[in-house]
């Protein structure tokens, strides 16, 4: 299962009060389906089936796009920390590894909410940022959606369905950028 969009999900909210937009790597799902315990952390109930999630045949990433609810007493963040793995791109052709939690993340990541690392920032190390200098850096929060993993499979890119990505920038940071 891969979370497609954290949207406005409150990570501190109880799982059983929160709907998550996900892709489950199986077909033939219907509303009301319940999957057994995930590592003893809770069951997953399919609330709504949205349709097929189709990637290319090389990625083995096909499945069903749906809305689920985790039936658990944990918060969303606690559940993700306990049962989740780092979402890595399908072109890695491997499962997530424990080392990905550090290696496949940005050194400046400060908040949860993204379903993938913004890969363009992976080359920024602590050393590189120190050389650039804090006075030359601006910070914002970008919460990447799973659409970043979905290849464009239509001739006309305007017909390609994308998932939401959210960002936020403080007013003081915007003023600093304008004054630079």
């Amino acid at each position: 299962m891969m979370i497609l969009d954290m949207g406005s999900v409150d990570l501190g909210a109880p799982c059983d009060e929160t709907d998550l937009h996900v892709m489950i790597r199986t077909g033939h799902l219907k509303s009301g389906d319940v999957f057994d315990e995930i590592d003893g952390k809770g069951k997953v109930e399919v609330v709504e089936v949205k349709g097929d999630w189709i990637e290319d045949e090389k990625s083995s990433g096909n499945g069903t796009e749906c809305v689920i609810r985790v039936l658990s007493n944990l918060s969303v963040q606690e559940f993700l920390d306990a049962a989740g793995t780092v979402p890595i791109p399908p072109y890695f052709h491997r499962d997530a590894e424990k080392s990905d939690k550090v290696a496949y993340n940005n050194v400046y990541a400060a908040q949860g909410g993204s379903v993938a690392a913004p890969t363009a920032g992976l080359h920024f190390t602590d050393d590189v940022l120190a050389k650039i200098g804090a006075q030359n850096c601006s910070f914002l929060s970008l919460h990447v959606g799973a659409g970043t993993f979905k290849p464009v499979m239509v001739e006309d890119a305007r017909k390609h369905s994308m998932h939401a990505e959210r960002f936020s920038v403080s007013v003081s940071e915007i003023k600093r950028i304008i004054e630079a």
Side-chain angles (χ1 to χ4, degrees):
M1 177 171 65
M2 176 173 68
I3 296 176
L4 298 176
D5 179 10
M6 291 298 287
S8 58
V9 171
D10 176 0
L11 294 173
C15 284
D16 58 3
E17 296 176 11
T18 305
D19 290 345
L20 296 173
H21 186 190
V22 304
M23 184 272 289
I24 299 177
R25 293 195 191 281
T26 186
H28 313 296
L29 293 176
K30 61 185 183 308
S31 295
D33 284 352
V34 177
F35 293 87
D36 290 334
E37 297 271 333
I38 298 178
D39 296 334
K41 306 301 178 196
K43 296 181 178 190
V44 171
E45 178 184 12
V46 177
V47 175
E48 176 187 358
V49 174
K50 296 213 173 246
D52 293 333
W53 174 275
I54 305 296
E55 293 182 6
D56 60 30
E57 61 278 352
K58 293 179 233 167
S59 73
S60 69
N62 297 338
T64 304
E65 184 174 348
C66 54
V67 175
I68 58 114
R69 184 169 298 138
V70 178
L71 307 176
S72 171
N73 293 327
L74 299 175
S75 73
V76 174
Q77 185 67 62
E78 291 167 333
F79 175 77
L80 294 176
D81 288 344
T85 60
V86 174
I88 58 171
Y91 53 79
F92 276 21
H93 301 292
R94 64 169 175 80
D95 291 334
E97 301 167 355
K98 284 189 179 210
S99 63
D100 290 329
K101 191 162 188 158
V102 173
Y104 193 67
N105 201 355
N106 300 110
V107 296
Y108 48 82
Q111 300 174 342
S114 188
V115 300
T119 55
L122 290 175
H123 64 280
F124 286 108
T125 63
D126 288 326
D127 289 342
V128 169
L129 290 175
K131 287 177 185 172
I132 293 171
Q135 71 280 7
N136 297 314
C137 293
S138 291
F139 293 92
L140 60 87
S141 292
L142 171 63
H143 297 286
V144 176
T148 194
F149 294 148
K150 192 171 185 180
V152 177
M153 299 189 55
V154 292
E155 188 68 30
D156 183 346
R158 293 173 294 187
K159 295 180 180 176
H160 176 66
S161 177
M162 289 295 295
H163 288 91
E165 295 190 349
R166 294 181 305 118
F167 73 94
S168 62
V169 184
S170 69
V171 171
S172 61
E173 196 67 26
I174 291 172
K175 287 179 180 177
R176 198 169 82 77
I177 292 167
I178 291 169
E179 292 169 2

